[in-house]
Amino acid sequence: MKILVTGGAGFIGSHTVVELQNAGYDAVVVDNLVNASPKVIARVEAITGKKIPFYEADIRDREALEKIFEQEKPDAVIHFAGLKAVGESVGLPWEYYENNVSGTLTLLDVMRKNGCKNIIFSSSATVYGDPAFVPITEECPKGTCTNPYGWTKWMLEQILTDLQFADKEWNVVLLRYFNPIGAHKSGTIGENPNGVPNNLMPYITQVAVGKLPQLHVYGDDYDTHDGTGVRDYIHVVDLALGHVKALKKLEPGSGLNIYNLGTGVGYSVLDIVKNFEEATGKKIPYVIDPRRAGDIATCYSSAKKAQEELGWEAQYGIKEMCEDSWRWQSMNPNGYDE
């Protein structure tokens, strides 16, 4: 089975390509390299020992996509490609809607015209907004998003839902991620943000490696056990394996399926700092700053449905997530830049 992976050179995409190849699938990568390095492909090939067809192309480029589908004839698509920085999306809403929504509409149109109606969509727990209850199950109503990035995921879920409702040949899996951290055990691929990181773990690792002076903790007055925000952190390899498991839900007639991918355990910002320090022996200086607009107090999952229907559950604990994040950063202090 051949799987086209959009955004396959990115953080989650690259780890998923590794696990797809390990599971015997043929992966084809499409990435415009706006938030990724071309060096990723060679490193993934070194991990798996298999060549990867790679196309540097943008999902908004219909002509390029048509050529790729004609050449590769994929059976299914795993769709990661998209802009993903929450804070940036607030300042660049048009760019986020145009890239994420228009790009996906172009991709879907090329897919259906080429008879490929199987898609796993990289969604987010962001669609729950400030959740109605925790732990969050898939029955939790979608909420009011707090930023344009979140709204693009919300809208694309609706577009895919409507598409599948209208045309039963489509098989759609919506995977709602919680907070992926960690890196491949080899230390050769990992999270490589441009500029100052938006996410907690790469911020911590860059402080640990000496690139940043201290961690900024946004708010210590939330209604949580230590006042800092609580989130569900999941190892990126566990997340990647969730996509491999989800492929079995793309059988003809499977319709629309939605799954949370998380551990079901909530850790605060300071819990992560403490666990990182214990796992690595590196001290992380931090300062408390005011809350960020749009942040919520607590967000963690119930992943019971994925366990029951996909046979998937997270294998890695917080210690391994911290160790693997640090291995990647310490081996690659400047990311993919030499």
Side-chain angles (χ1 to χ4, degrees), residues 3-76:
I3 315 298
L4 185 75
V5 184
T6 71
F11 175 44
I12 304 170
S14 59
H15 287 80
T16 300
V17 170
V18 168
E19 299 308 329
L20 286 169
Q21 291 196 309
N22 287 346
Y25 293 98
D26 295 319
V28 176
V29 171
V30 176
D31 202 302
N32 65 3
L33 301 179
V34 165
N35 284 316
S37 168
K39 296 173 184 173
V40 173
I41 301 301
R43 294 194 185 191
V44 170
E45 289 175 339
I47 290 169
T48 64
K50 297 178 184 175
K51 291 293 289 179
I52 303 166
F54 170 67
Y55 296 87
E56 185 176 346
D58 193 297
I59 55 169
R60 294 168 293 181
D61 186 340
R62 180 182 294 271
E63 189 177 339
L65 288 181
E66 292 280 11
K67 287 178 181 173
I68 294 165
F69 272 78
E70 185 180 340
Q71 176 85 21
E72 297 293 343
K73 298 180 171 56
D75 300 294

Side-chain angles (χ1 to χ4, degrees), residues 30-270:
V30 176
D31 202 302
N32 65 3
L33 301 179
V34 165
N35 284 316
S37 168
K39 296 173 184 173
V40 173
I41 301 301
R43 294 194 185 191
V44 170
E45 289 175 339
I47 290 169
T48 64
K50 297 178 184 175
K51 291 293 289 179
I52 303 166
F54 170 67
Y55 296 87
E56 185 176 346
D58 193 297
I59 55 169
R60 294 168 293 181
D61 186 340
R62 180 182 294 271
E63 189 177 339
L65 288 181
E66 292 280 11
K67 287 178 181 173
I68 294 165
F69 272 78
E70 185 180 340
Q71 176 85 21
E72 297 293 343
K73 298 180 171 56
D75 300 294
V77 171
I78 300 180
H79 180 32
F80 295 107
L83 299 174
K84 62 171 191 172
V86 168
E88 182 183 66
S89 77
V90 176
L92 299 172
W94 184 88
E95 286 78 3
Y96 270 69
Y97 290 119
E98 196 267 341
N99 185 86
N100 295 6
V101 179
S102 295
T104 302
L105 287 170
T106 300
L107 172 67
L108 293 171
D109 195 33
V110 173
M111 286 177 66
R112 66 181 182 172
K113 286 177 177 173
N114 283 273
C116 177
K117 295 184 178 180
N118 300 305
I119 186 167
I120 295 174
F121 176 59
S122 163
S123 192
S124 167
T126 315
V127 301
Y128 293 116
D130 195 347
F133 52 82
V134 290
I136 302 166
T137 69
E138 291 82 358
E139 281 68 49
C140 182
K142 287 166 71 175
T144 299
C145 295
T146 54
N147 55 76
Y149 161 75
W151 280 118
T152 67
K153 295 295 188 186
W154 199 104
M155 290 175 186
L156 289 169
E157 280 200 5
Q158 190 61 50
I159 288 166
L160 285 160
T161 300
D162 292 343
L163 193 64
Q164 197 283 323
F165 181 80
D167 181 355
K168 301 306 180 192
E169 289 185 359
W170 279 93
N171 301 297
V172 174
V173 178
L174 308 178
L175 295 181
R176 294 173 177 167
Y177 311 161
F178 282 72
N179 295 64
I181 58 175
H184 192 266
K185 292 287 181 195
S186 65
T188 58
I189 59 173
E191 190 166 10
N192 184 40
N194 291 332
V196 177
N198 288 288
N199 296 330
L200 177 61
M201 185 56 80
Y203 209 120
I204 289 174
T205 61
Q206 289 193 16
V207 171
V209 84
K211 288 185 74 175
L212 296 169
Q214 58 194 8
L215 172 69
H216 290 264
V217 177
Y218 297 102
D220 65 349
D221 58 349
Y222 287 102
D223 184 18
T224 62
H225 65 276
D226 62 14
T228 64
V230 169
R231 298 290 183 271
D232 187 336
Y233 295 90
I234 176 174
H235 198 295
V236 66
V237 173
D238 277 330
L239 188 59
L241 289 166
H243 292 76
V244 177
K245 293 280 193 181
L247 282 170
K248 71 180 185 183
K249 278 293 180 182
L250 292 182
E251 297 162 351
S254 61
L256 174 75
N257 289 279
I258 302 171
Y259 300 98
N260 290 334
L261 294 183
T263 63
V265 180
Y267 290 98
S268 74
V269 174
L270 295 183

Side-chain angles (χ1 to χ4, degrees), residues 252-289:
S254 61
L256 174 75
N257 289 279
I258 302 171
Y259 300 98
N260 290 334
L261 294 183
T263 63
V265 180
Y267 290 98
S268 74
V269 174
L270 295 183
D271 287 337
I272 297 294
V273 170
K274 180 168 171 268
N275 276 280
F276 185 87
E277 290 178 338
E278 289 176 356
T280 66
K282 303 292 290 186
K283 191 72 181 161
I284 304 299
Y286 65 86
V287 293
I288 304 294
D289 287 343

